[in-house]
Amino acid sequence: MKTIAIALLVCGLPLPAFALAPEQVQFTGSVQYDDGVPVDFDLRLPARQAMTLQLADGAALELVTPGNAASPHGTLVRLVSRDGRVLHTATVPAPGLASQSFAYRICNGQVTYVSPAPASPAGCGT
């Protein structure tokens, strides 16, 4: 009887966070500078990976999936200027997250981060 009780107890314990990580994470959204044309993206990145999306102005969008050394317990998104300054960092501490939607709007050097991404990005005047 004790063996059955112990087996049931062990089965009821939560699994480690890495067991919940998805095989890949989808990143969707846009980056818009001033009132220029937004750069839309829809990327899938395998678990425990990182990538950098180079933007036309020399800035970069860094994306990290859960399990990576840079973000072991969730996704990480970082917008970096062309001179290497981190303009914004967003972390989502959810190792099981399979999709992340967000948008950056940079107006006169001011960064606005919105998640989830709106259907159509607002201009700087709004």
Side-chain angles (χ1 to χ4, degrees), residues 20-94:
L20 300 175
E23 290 183 27
Q24 66 179 359
V25 176
Q26 179 180 18
F27 294 91
T28 59
S30 64
V31 178
Q32 181 179 10
Y33 283 89
D34 297 313
D35 284 323
V37 176
V39 175
D40 296 319
F41 55 88
D42 184 349
L43 305 167
R44 285 167 181 75
L45 190 59
R48 297 174 296 283
Q49 300 295 312
M51 75 168 293
T52 301
L53 177 64
Q54 292 298 135
L55 302 173
D57 71 337
L61 186 61
E62 298 174 353
L63 307 170
V64 182
T65 60
N68 185 289
S71 185
H73 304 295
T75 60
L76 172 74
V77 174
R78 185 177 296 134
L79 182 64
V80 181
S81 70
R82 72 177 129 223
D83 63 0
R85 263 182 322 116
V86 175
L87 301 174
H88 183 265
T89 300
T91 56
V92 178

Side-chain angles (χ1 to χ4, degrees), residues 98-109:
S99 179
Q100 184 167 353
S101 169
F102 61 92
Y104 279 111
R105 188 178 71 216
I106 300 93
C107 296
N108 299 319

